[in-house]
Amino acid sequence: MNTSFFQDLLQSITERGRQLLESREPPPGNAQALAEASRKLISSHGEASGVALAQQVLCAYRDCPQAQQKAFFDILLKDFAPPHDVLAEACQRYLDDPSASNITALFQASEPPRQELFRRLNQAPGGTAELIAMRRLLLQELKGRPELAAVDHDLQHLLASWFNRGFLVLRRIDWSTPASILEKIIKYEAVHAIKDWDDLRSRLQPADRRCFAFFHPALADEPLIFVEVALTRSMPGAIAEILEQHPEAQPAEAPDAAVFYSISNCQDGLRGISFGNFLIKQVVEELAREVPGLRQFVTLSPVPGLRRWLDSLGDNAQLGAAAAECLKSLKPDAPPPPRLEQPLLALAAEYFLHAKNGAGLPLDPVARFHLGNGARLERLNWRGDLSATGLRQAAGLMVNYRYELRQIEKNHEAYANQGAVTASPEVRKLATLSAKTNR
Amino acid sequence: MNTSFFQDLLQSITERGRQLLESREPPPGNAQALAEASRKLISSHGEASGVALAQQVLCAYRDCPQAQQKAFFDILLKDFAPPHDVLAEACQRYLDDPSASNITALFQASEPPRQELFRRLNQAPGGTAELIAMRRLLLQELKGRPELAAVDHDLQHLLASWFNRGFLVLRRIDWSTPASILEKIIKYEAVHAIKDWDDLRSRLQPADRRCFAFFHPALADEPLIFVEVALTRSMPGAIAEILEQHPEAQPAEAPDAAVFYSISNCQDGLRGISFGNFLIKQVVEELAREVPGLRQFVTLSPVPGLRRWLDSLGDNAQLGAAAAECLKSLKPDAPPPPRLEQPLLALAAEYFLHAKNGAGLPLDPVARFHLGNGARLERLNWRGDLSATGLRQAAGLMVNYRYELRQIEKNHEAYANQGAVTASPEVRKLATLSAKTNR
Amino acid sequence: MNTSFFQDLLQSITERGRQLLESREPPPGNAQALAEASRKLISSHGEASGVALAQQVLCAYRDCPQAQQKAFFDILLKDFAPPHDVLAEACQRYLDDPSASNITALFQASEPPRQELFRRLNQAPGGTAELIAMRRLLLQELKGRPELAAVDHDLQHLLASWFNRGFLVLRRIDWSTPASILEKIIKYEAVHAIKDWDDLRSRLQPADRRCFAFFHPALADEPLIFVEVALTRSMPGAIAEILEQHPEAQPAEAPDAAVFYSISNCQDGLRGISFGNFLIKQVVEELAREVPGLRQFVTLSPVPGLRRWLDSLGDNAQLGAAAAECLKSLKPDAPPPPRLEQPLLALAAEYFLHAKNGAGLPLDPVARFHLGNGARLERLNWRGDLSATGLRQAAGLMVNYRYELRQIEKNHEAYANQGAVTASPEVRKLATLSAKTNR
Amino acid sequence: MNTSFFQDLLQSITERGRQLLESREPPPGNAQALAEASRKLISSHGEASGVALAQQVLCAYRDCPQAQQKAFFDILLKDFAPPHDVLAEACQRYLDDPSASNITALFQASEPPRQELFRRLNQAPGGTAELIAMRRLLLQELKGRPELAAVDHDLQHLLASWFNRGFLVLRRIDWSTPASILEKIIKYEAVHAIKDWDDLRSRLQPADRRCFAFFHPALADEPLIFVEVALTRSMPGAIAEILEQHPEAQPAEAPDAAVFYSISNCQDGLRGISFGNFLIKQVVEELAREVPGLRQFVTLSPVPGLRRWLDSLGDNAQLGAAAAECLKSLKPDAPPPPRLEQPLLALAAEYFLHAKNGAGLPLDPVARFHLGNGARLERLNWRGDLSATGLRQAAGLMVNYRYELRQIEKNHEAYANQGAVTASPEVRKLATLSAKTNR
């Protein structure tokens, strides 16, 4: 109740983070100068200067032309790698005597000095945000220059440690959230775009809507990931039921289902550090506590890879007549006609249960995410999303994944160890049907 | 101004941290069971279970008899070390081809799996506090069992990264701070004990007193380190002037000096992770902003090693007559007589400037801390602390160190590179005197 | 610094205020039932029932048809007036013996019981907001039924006491203010309409913009009054300079003027309770502290009554030729041509300095507000507002009033005692000119 | 959830309230000068000066010698009363024509100008606290000078309106409450003195203890009234069970009773403005929500008037032998011997049920408070409080009053209308016994 003292703590972090990084004269803005200042920062000099030097380096980096920033990545790769002779000697010593202390020494010798550099840069006010921005650029650069992976590894290693779930904070986002946060929700929504502030309000303000986000204390005005939830009576089959609801409409009955209809990652610079699993599970717990009548926690999810897979089937001789006709009849920009319902659902079941990528996992990326979290594929929804995107990606199909807390570990284990796709009997039956009809 | 949204963030962390870790049935409380649950936690199983399994392991650990906790350390040492074959192969590969990717692979192979275990434990509510408690016990155990250093290295490595200065928050501690925090200030004060709540108030409430502490968001109701400050007119020479001031007394004139008269670390489990340097420098900045008239930032510090060193001089033939007489006349529990003032100060100057430990650094630990921060030794104060402790440790002597922001880097460099002790001309002169008189 | 405990206090008020007033079974919704429940509430019964009965009456009132609400006003007027015999006796007693205790008795006897009713209604959660809503309706009704003035007097008397400036809180409104507050700023802006959220942001987010509002703890999510401020280099003459500035544009130089370009009252139900005077003066103090370079505090204000007055002049024979021509040439919806500048400014100066209402005060309501606050009329701006409204009301003219803290009392006294209009020499000269040219 | 914006509101009030009232040069410190500045404050001058003049008057008053403050009360009485001619005319007009508007005019004419003075003083930062301090002194003075009642009436009238229950905030007081608040709890506890901070902690920190206080936003660091509660298994009969419990002891079973064992008013200057009734009822609601197992809400209360009443019985011939013997045997400073249990309880029942004051209400002030709130007298506890105070006031007796929400209105009505004392059958039986035995 009286925990407000602790709340104030954060203000300080936030305010430090917002301080413009301009108070100090930065060193000249090129990669060589950055490298030199960076070397000074990880020397004993850096200890004495407190955070001032870190602040200078970050400012100088930020004010550099992008070409120099990229050149700086190269220097990080080459000049801030472990010194060869030291590391080689540590290897040899370990090979000669694999003692605990030699392992420790080897671990230390193999840690690139750029990790220490990143840690020291993080000491500056706003440092964490700058490092995330740095990694965003690095990830872009990485596509064309895979050798930078070593630098990215170090940055990701630290960020993953710093953004440990124990340091994240779940916050409800609602209509009394600061506008500066809300405009980021509009910006970062990646599944069903938010058109404007009225659209945003219709997702936050009604009594049957919820939105939750993870935040990190050192990045307090930036959500990391957020999920939008609708509380409904039974599991919905079409996104329009949710998005087009009138904001003032009161839910007719007490809701029994929580529907996660949109999950968006916000920070490109934190790619590969997974928050979604934790977010969904904590929101399930929060909602179960707040709304005791809830009986099911489900998603209403897109199927981004379905059309591509259907197209890849081509004139597959093994396809049954119904399936072949279905493939032929689908239009890229029109809802499929009613007669295609059964064959399309059957093909989709096939897609989820049997179409695999190189790693033996489901082709569909959204399926991989939810199944990997331990959810089960619950239902396929014909005409779930008739928007242009919905038709183009999945011929209008949407699916529900179901999170049942008691089954999550079992489902996940099966998925993680054998790539097994847990699906409801209904979906399994469709797949059988598919086998029968299509082949 | 309107940053309160961000403040609320922290409440969530804090409340999670306070949840009793008892909601889940812990596994049986012995080291083997802990090890088994820990293995499960770092397997794919751990991903699915969210934080529940981490919580179980932490509860089980905490509820174990201490003997089992210590036995668990052994298992961490042996069974959660990097697998030899994998690491050996990574070494060999690196030696064959020292490429960037082989360095990355080697770094990963040499990271003991217990680091991942600690990271996953940290995901549980209150996990950070439990890991700090774990390290406190480990440090005790380490004294008798140095082989555990490898485990400690991993824990310290992570804690140092998590308690990066960029994540710390400076907070003023005053009389409107929650009592639950204030009682910890009483408990952790390590230099001049706080007798009771009235004594505490006399250090917090007067207009010329300040206290600041660092906090970490994940440990929000525990200070990490704090410093007590008196604002005075000129640099004080005796602690009694500060501690015995009447709380209601108003400072006669505008203060021109900020005196750091007590710095205390609070968390044994964070030993070796240094906060003091950052704390002093940020408090200097805060005070300079708040009280524009301040001209000097100094300490009033104990000299814990002086008497021990004096005793060690014994019948050193090289000592001058005055010094020898001084040594003979000092009583362990009475203030030294006036005639000893000059010889004692001269000996003390000698102690600071020339008495070195094995590493070539000053013998006095408090001197090492402040000189290492870039402060300079400003003045020796005869009869600075006539309490029992003051007499026993330093024959009543106290000293002032001075933090002058523009000199800090230079002083620190000289100290770090050559072990040079920066001292005021006054102190240097005393040392010369010492040479003349004593030898 | 650590005042967060006190901050939490308000949350409770706010949350109580938001509780839907529906938990209790309200009495049947008609005026007679309301009256009966109200009588019970001011009896001893009301003391025992705590706030529950107050809550019931408020709910019943709120859920009544408007016709019944208005009928309830009549009952308040007649049945909740002081009992005649008691009051007559108190009068007689006072006339017989004008002692202090008889004055007290008379004061008590003349206080209508509806005041106690309003006080008890205010005890319910959200009661203050309901009473304000009640007065809003009452004020509408009052226009056609002046006898209700006695009821309004009582309600205003209490609200004025409760909204005493000592209980108001100044808050900055910025882009990190909750959206639920910001949408009210959009709604209540009465001078220069805010088109949408982007327009709002352009008034809040740029470094040279400020917005401040007064709030009352019992009405915490409703601003009472707010003012929008632009920090500029010199006093601006046209509103477009301010409203059309690009949000990202950085002010070229350090600002030396704070321009109050829009002040809006928010609560109709608090009409007649003046906040603007206090608001402007406290904002002047806040800004003077925050931005030390500010040298002048001025408004950029509309002149809502100018055109009406000009029209009323008609064929006034006393007007000079220039003025007469000016009057004839003005178009209601087009900017006046350049040749009219001098005559129009002269007429406007005349309007400000000499056109009076029945009470001998300036005709212009905005002038009465600022002059009554002690500001002086500083400058008339030809083509200050070429919007449709600006043209229709004032032929495009805007004016600056200047708040100079040291002159405020003197100006106010002259205005309050003699209706004197303090104006700059420049404006006075225009009026002289007007006299010369126009007559 | 995100209501923190509103929380911040209060900080501003609080900080304004704490500003030392010293920034302005106060007028000379005597009653005449105060009166003159006060007259200026309620003139039109006061409007222009904003709060500055109010601040000056308050400072001047506060810095006056007490004799001058008291002299100022006289001036308030005489010179800030309604002007006789105006009021007499208003009376006459009303007597001639008792119209609604004449009532309004009469009410306005009879309101002493000092009310407006107090309202304007309240506009200054910290004004409310100063007015409360002013009334504290006035109440002391009033004892010897009853004519000041008219001044007190006006001050109380305003304070009662401003401290309307709708503006009060209930806050839990616990061990994380700011020390500055907690020291006031120690200071204001009026029933069972709190010895020191450890004693305080033992009343706040254990899981089965609660403390709640009312606060007012304009007086945010001062509790108005607080109640201490113990959650117990069944209704306790002796205060020692509660006060001597070891802080670490865990309650054996889930509590079913909430025991209000101490209620203390904090502000002398708010005497006569009742908060206790509201406090108890809201705390009952809070606890019923928080601890669903609670079945009874009772007090454990002192009987401050019992011994005095017993002593007054003297050699009353009507007393039965047992009672007479009981009266003779009671010692002022020793627990009564076991044989007195029945006669003493019977006398006490008599005291509660039949001993009345001049107004026909129970003699016992604590009884009047709880019965007036609608509680019922539940049980008499022999040897409830064997402390010196307990023996001296009530021969060791304590009683329980019971708050049953559904009975409160009925009990209160009976008490308010007929002075009826609602008591349990058990207590009634003791009274009958008393009648039999004693007479």
Side-chain angles (χ1 to χ4, degrees), chain D residues 290-309:
Chain D
E290 188 207 333
V291 188
L294 294 179
R295 294 287 163 268
Q296 40 185 337
F297 297 89
V298 297
T299 74
L300 182 59
S301 301
V303 192
L306 179 60
R307 275 302 293 265
R308 206 176 316 121
W309 177 76

PDB file of all heavy atoms in Angstrom, chain D residues 290-309:
ATOM      1  N   GLU D 290     -10.716  -6.812   2.733  1.00  0.00           N
ATOM      2  CA  GLU D 290      -9.361  -7.377   2.714  1.00  0.00           C
ATOM      3  C   GLU D 290      -9.297  -8.755   3.376  1.00  0.00           C
ATOM      4  O   GLU D 290      -8.546  -9.624   2.934  1.00  0.00           O
ATOM      5  CB  GLU D 290      -8.392  -6.413   3.437  1.00  0.00           C
ATOM      6  CG  GLU D 290      -6.937  -6.832   3.280  1.00  0.00           C
ATOM      7  CD  GLU D 290      -6.064  -6.350   4.435  1.00  0.00           C
ATOM      8  OE1 GLU D 290      -6.389  -5.339   5.066  1.00  0.00           O
ATOM      9  OE2 GLU D 290      -5.041  -7.033   4.711  1.00  0.00           O
ATOM     10  N   VAL D 291     -10.028  -8.925   4.459  1.00  0.00           N
ATOM     11  CA  VAL D 291      -9.945 -10.170   5.235  1.00  0.00           C
ATOM     12  C   VAL D 291     -11.340 -10.792   5.282  1.00  0.00           C
ATOM     13  O   VAL D 291     -12.112 -10.541   6.207  1.00  0.00           O
ATOM     14  CB  VAL D 291      -9.434  -9.891   6.673  1.00  0.00           C
ATOM     15  CG1 VAL D 291      -9.153 -11.200   7.407  1.00  0.00           C
ATOM     16  CG2 VAL D 291      -8.215  -8.989   6.653  1.00  0.00           C
ATOM     17  N   PRO D 292     -11.660 -11.606   4.280  1.00  0.00           N
ATOM     18  CA  PRO D 292     -13.051 -12.052   4.163  1.00  0.00           C
ATOM     19  C   PRO D 292     -13.537 -12.866   5.362  1.00  0.00           C
ATOM     20  O   PRO D 292     -14.740 -12.947   5.596  1.00  0.00           O
ATOM     21  CB  PRO D 292     -13.029 -12.919   2.894  1.00  0.00           C
ATOM     22  CG  PRO D 292     -11.777 -12.556   2.174  1.00  0.00           C
ATOM     23  CD  PRO D 292     -10.803 -12.122   3.212  1.00  0.00           C
ATOM     24  N   GLY D 293     -12.627 -13.444   6.128  1.00  0.00           N
ATOM     25  CA  GLY D 293     -13.054 -14.287   7.247  1.00  0.00           C
ATOM     26  C   GLY D 293     -13.572 -13.522   8.468  1.00  0.00           C
ATOM     27  O   GLY D 293     -14.075 -14.127   9.416  1.00  0.00           O
ATOM     28  N   LEU D 294     -13.455 -12.226   8.459  1.00  0.00           N
ATOM     29  CA  LEU D 294     -13.853 -11.472   9.652  1.00  0.00           C
ATOM     30  C   LEU D 294     -15.360 -11.560   9.879  1.00  0.00           C
ATOM     31  O   LEU D 294     -16.151 -11.334   8.971  1.00  0.00           O
ATOM     32  CB  LEU D 294     -13.435 -10.007   9.526  1.00  0.00           C
ATOM     33  CG  LEU D 294     -11.924  -9.765   9.513  1.00  0.00           C
ATOM     34  CD1 LEU D 294     -11.624  -8.285   9.363  1.00  0.00           C
ATOM     35  CD2 LEU D 294     -11.281 -10.309  10.789  1.00  0.00           C
ATOM     36  N   ARG D 295     -15.731 -11.869  11.092  1.00  0.00           N
ATOM     37  CA  ARG D 295     -17.153 -12.011  11.418  1.00  0.00           C
ATOM     38  C   ARG D 295     -17.637 -10.938  12.380  1.00  0.00           C
ATOM     39  O   ARG D 295     -18.811 -10.653  12.465  1.00  0.00           O
ATOM     40  CB  ARG D 295     -17.424 -13.402  12.043  1.00  0.00           C
ATOM     41  CG  ARG D 295     -17.218 -14.560  11.105  1.00  0.00           C
ATOM     42  CD  ARG D 295     -18.338 -14.648  10.069  1.00  0.00           C
ATOM     43  NE  ARG D 295     -17.925 -15.496   8.933  1.00  0.00           N
ATOM     44  CZ  ARG D 295     -17.344 -15.046   7.828  1.00  0.00           C
ATOM     45  NH1 ARG D 295     -17.125 -13.765   7.656  1.00  0.00           N
ATOM     46  NH2 ARG D 295     -16.998 -15.867   6.850  1.00  0.00           N
ATOM     47  N   GLN D 296     -16.739 -10.367  13.164  1.00  0.00           N
ATOM     48  CA  GLN D 296     -17.185  -9.349  14.108  1.00  0.00           C
ATOM     49  C   GLN D 296     -16.206  -8.177  14.162  1.00  0.00           C
ATOM     50  O   GLN D 296     -14.992  -8.347  14.072  1.00  0.00           O
ATOM     51  CB  GLN D 296     -17.398  -9.928  15.506  1.00  0.00           C
ATOM     52  CG  GLN D 296     -16.365 -10.926  15.950  1.00  0.00           C
ATOM     53  CD  GLN D 296     -16.727 -11.547  17.299  1.00  0.00           C
ATOM     54  OE1 GLN D 296     -17.486 -10.953  18.068  1.00  0.00           O
ATOM     55  NE2 GLN D 296     -16.175 -12.701  17.583  1.00  0.00           N
ATOM     56  N   PHE D 297     -16.771  -6.993  14.319  1.00  0.00           N
ATOM     57  CA  PHE D 297     -16.010  -5.766  14.415  1.00  0.00           C
ATOM     58  C   PHE D 297     -16.335  -5.159  15.769  1.00  0.00           C
ATOM     59  O   PHE D 297     -17.465  -4.714  15.990  1.00  0.00           O
ATOM     60  CB  PHE D 297     -16.380  -4.827  13.270  1.00  0.00           C
ATOM     61  CG  PHE D 297     -16.036  -5.412  11.938  1.00  0.00           C
ATOM     62  CD1 PHE D 297     -16.944  -6.204  11.251  1.00  0.00           C
ATOM     63  CD2 PHE D 297     -14.773  -5.216  11.389  1.00  0.00           C
ATOM     64  CE1 PHE D 297     -16.614  -6.778  10.036  1.00  0.00           C
ATOM     65  CE2 PHE D 297     -14.436  -5.785  10.169  1.00  0.00           C
ATOM     66  CZ  PHE D 297     -15.358  -6.574   9.489  1.00  0.00           C
ATOM     67  N   VAL D 298     -15.370  -5.185  16.650  1.00  0.00           N
ATOM     68  CA  VAL D 298     -15.625  -4.763  18.027  1.00  0.00           C
ATOM     69  C   VAL D 298     -14.518  -3.831  18.503  1.00  0.00           C
ATOM     70  O   VAL D 298     -13.447  -3.759  17.904  1.00  0.00           O
ATOM     71  CB  VAL D 298     -15.679  -5.982  18.982  1.00  0.00           C
ATOM     72  CG1 VAL D 298     -16.836  -6.902  18.610  1.00  0.00           C
ATOM     73  CG2 VAL D 298     -14.358  -6.735  18.952  1.00  0.00           C
ATOM     74  N   THR D 299     -14.802  -3.140  19.580  1.00  0.00           N
ATOM     75  CA  THR D 299     -13.756  -2.344  20.203  1.00  0.00           C
ATOM     76  C   THR D 299     -13.297  -3.059  21.468  1.00  0.00           C
ATOM     77  O   THR D 299     -13.938  -3.994  21.939  1.00  0.00           O
ATOM     78  CB  THR D 299     -14.271  -0.959  20.635  1.00  0.00           C
ATOM     79  OG1 THR D 299     -15.078  -1.129  21.806  1.00  0.00           O
ATOM     80  CG2 THR D 299     -15.087  -0.308  19.532  1.00  0.00           C
ATOM     81  N   LEU D 300     -12.171  -2.629  21.982  1.00  0.00           N
ATOM     82  CA  LEU D 300     -11.817  -2.940  23.367  1.00  0.00           C
ATOM     83  C   LEU D 300     -11.536  -1.568  23.967  1.00  0.00           C
ATOM     84  O   LEU D 300     -10.515  -0.957  23.660  1.00  0.00           O
ATOM     85  CB  LEU D 300     -10.604  -3.861  23.441  1.00  0.00           C
ATOM     86  CG  LEU D 300     -10.222  -4.270  24.860  1.00  0.00           C
ATOM     87  CD1 LEU D 300     -11.370  -4.997  25.565  1.00  0.00           C
ATOM     88  CD2 LEU D 300      -8.995  -5.188  24.846  1.00  0.00           C
ATOM     89  N   SER D 301     -12.483  -1.099  24.778  1.00  0.00           N
ATOM     90  CA  SER D 301     -12.514   0.318  25.136  1.00  0.00           C
ATOM     91  C   SER D 301     -12.375   0.551  26.627  1.00  0.00           C
ATOM     92  O   SER D 301     -12.819  -0.270  27.442  1.00  0.00           O
ATOM     93  CB  SER D 301     -13.844   0.938  24.681  1.00  0.00           C
ATOM     94  OG  SER D 301     -14.027   0.808  23.304  1.00  0.00           O
ATOM     95  N   PRO D 302     -11.795   1.677  26.989  1.00  0.00           N
ATOM     96  CA  PRO D 302     -11.713   2.054  28.391  1.00  0.00           C
ATOM     97  C   PRO D 302     -13.089   2.568  28.880  1.00  0.00           C
ATOM     98  O   PRO D 302     -13.979   2.815  28.077  1.00  0.00           O
ATOM     99  CB  PRO D 302     -10.690   3.179  28.405  1.00  0.00           C
ATOM    100  CG  PRO D 302     -10.787   3.779  27.048  1.00  0.00           C
ATOM    101  CD  PRO D 302     -11.158   2.659  26.109  1.00  0.00           C
ATOM    102  N   VAL D 303     -13.191   2.697  30.210  1.00  0.00           N
ATOM    103  CA  VAL D 303     -14.445   3.196  30.813  1.00  0.00           C
ATOM    104  C   VAL D 303     -14.047   4.373  31.695  1.00  0.00           C
ATOM    105  O   VAL D 303     -14.025   4.268  32.928  1.00  0.00           O
ATOM    106  CB  VAL D 303     -15.118   2.082  31.651  1.00  0.00           C
ATOM    107  CG1 VAL D 303     -16.544   2.502  32.035  1.00  0.00           C
ATOM    108  CG2 VAL D 303     -15.144   0.771  30.887  1.00  0.00           C
ATOM    109  N   PRO D 304     -13.709   5.498  31.100  1.00  0.00           N
ATOM    110  CA  PRO D 304     -13.008   6.533  31.861  1.00  0.00           C
ATOM    111  C   PRO D 304     -13.791   7.090  33.055  1.00  0.00           C
ATOM    112  O   PRO D 304     -13.191   7.561  34.017  1.00  0.00           O
ATOM    113  CB  PRO D 304     -12.736   7.618  30.813  1.00  0.00           C
ATOM    114  CG  PRO D 304     -13.585   7.296  29.642  1.00  0.00           C
ATOM    115  CD  PRO D 304     -13.830   5.832  29.674  1.00  0.00           C
ATOM    116  N   GLY D 305     -15.122   6.990  33.036  1.00  0.00           N
ATOM    117  CA  GLY D 305     -15.855   7.646  34.118  1.00  0.00           C
ATOM    118  C   GLY D 305     -16.324   6.722  35.232  1.00  0.00           C
ATOM    119  O   GLY D 305     -17.004   7.182  36.164  1.00  0.00           O
ATOM    120  N   LEU D 306     -15.979   5.435  35.145  1.00  0.00           N
ATOM    121  CA  LEU D 306     -16.592   4.492  36.092  1.00  0.00           C
ATOM    122  C   LEU D 306     -16.257   4.791  37.546  1.00  0.00           C
ATOM    123  O   LEU D 306     -17.140   4.910  38.408  1.00  0.00           O
ATOM    124  CB  LEU D 306     -16.186   3.058  35.741  1.00  0.00           C
ATOM    125  CG  LEU D 306     -16.749   1.981  36.671  1.00  0.00           C
ATOM    126  CD1 LEU D 306     -18.275   1.988  36.652  1.00  0.00           C
ATOM    127  CD2 LEU D 306     -16.229   0.596  36.288  1.00  0.00           C
ATOM    128  N   ARG D 307     -14.954   4.921  37.853  1.00  0.00           N
ATOM    129  CA  ARG D 307     -14.553   5.123  39.250  1.00  0.00           C
ATOM    130  C   ARG D 307     -15.145   6.396  39.831  1.00  0.00           C
ATOM    131  O   ARG D 307     -15.599   6.417  40.981  1.00  0.00           O
ATOM    132  CB  ARG D 307     -13.010   5.188  39.366  1.00  0.00           C
ATOM    133  CG  ARG D 307     -12.341   3.812  39.471  1.00  0.00           C
ATOM    134  CD  ARG D 307     -12.820   2.994  40.653  1.00  0.00           C
ATOM    135  NE  ARG D 307     -12.444   3.554  41.932  1.00  0.00           N
ATOM    136  CZ  ARG D 307     -11.367   3.185  42.593  1.00  0.00           C
ATOM    137  NH1 ARG D 307     -10.561   2.252  42.115  1.00  0.00           N
ATOM    138  NH2 ARG D 307     -11.089   3.739  43.761  1.00  0.00           N
ATOM    139  N   ARG D 308     -15.156   7.427  39.037  1.00  0.00           N
ATOM    140  CA  ARG D 308     -15.710   8.680  39.526  1.00  0.00           C
ATOM    141  C   ARG D 308     -17.187   8.498  39.913  1.00  0.00           C
ATOM    142  O   ARG D 308     -17.642   8.951  40.950  1.00  0.00           O
ATOM    143  CB  ARG D 308     -15.562   9.773  38.465  1.00  0.00           C
ATOM    144  CG  ARG D 308     -15.514  11.172  39.055  1.00  0.00           C
ATOM    145  CD  ARG D 308     -15.277  12.248  37.987  1.00  0.00           C
ATOM    146  NE  ARG D 308     -14.241  11.871  37.030  1.00  0.00           N
ATOM    147  CZ  ARG D 308     -14.429  11.763  35.708  1.00  0.00           C
ATOM    148  NH1 ARG D 308     -15.615  12.037  35.195  1.00  0.00           N
ATOM    149  NH2 ARG D 308     -13.452  11.397  34.929  1.00  0.00           N
ATOM    150  N   TRP D 309     -17.872   7.758  39.067  1.00  0.00           N
ATOM    151  CA  TRP D 309     -19.292   7.516  39.349  1.00  0.00           C
ATOM    152  C   TRP D 309     -19.452   6.637  40.597  1.00  0.00           C
ATOM    153  O   TRP D 309     -20.283   6.914  41.469  1.00  0.00           O
ATOM    154  CB  TRP D 309     -19.954   6.865  38.141  1.00  0.00           C
ATOM    155  CG  TRP D 309     -21.410   6.502  38.353  1.00  0.00           C
ATOM    156  CD1 TRP D 309     -22.471   7.348  38.367  1.00  0.00           C
ATOM    157  CD2 TRP D 309     -21.935   5.194  38.599  1.00  0.00           C
ATOM    158  NE1 TRP D 309     -23.635   6.662  38.590  1.00  0.00           N
ATOM    159  CE2 TRP D 309     -23.338   5.320  38.746  1.00  0.00           C
ATOM    160  CE3 TRP D 309     -21.352   3.920  38.716  1.00  0.00           C
ATOM    161  CZ2 TRP D 309     -24.176   4.232  38.995  1.00  0.00           C
ATOM    162  CZ3 TRP D 309     -22.177   2.837  38.951  1.00  0.00           C
ATOM    163  CH2 TRP D 309     -23.592   2.993  39.090  1.00  0.00           C
TER     164      TRP D 309
END
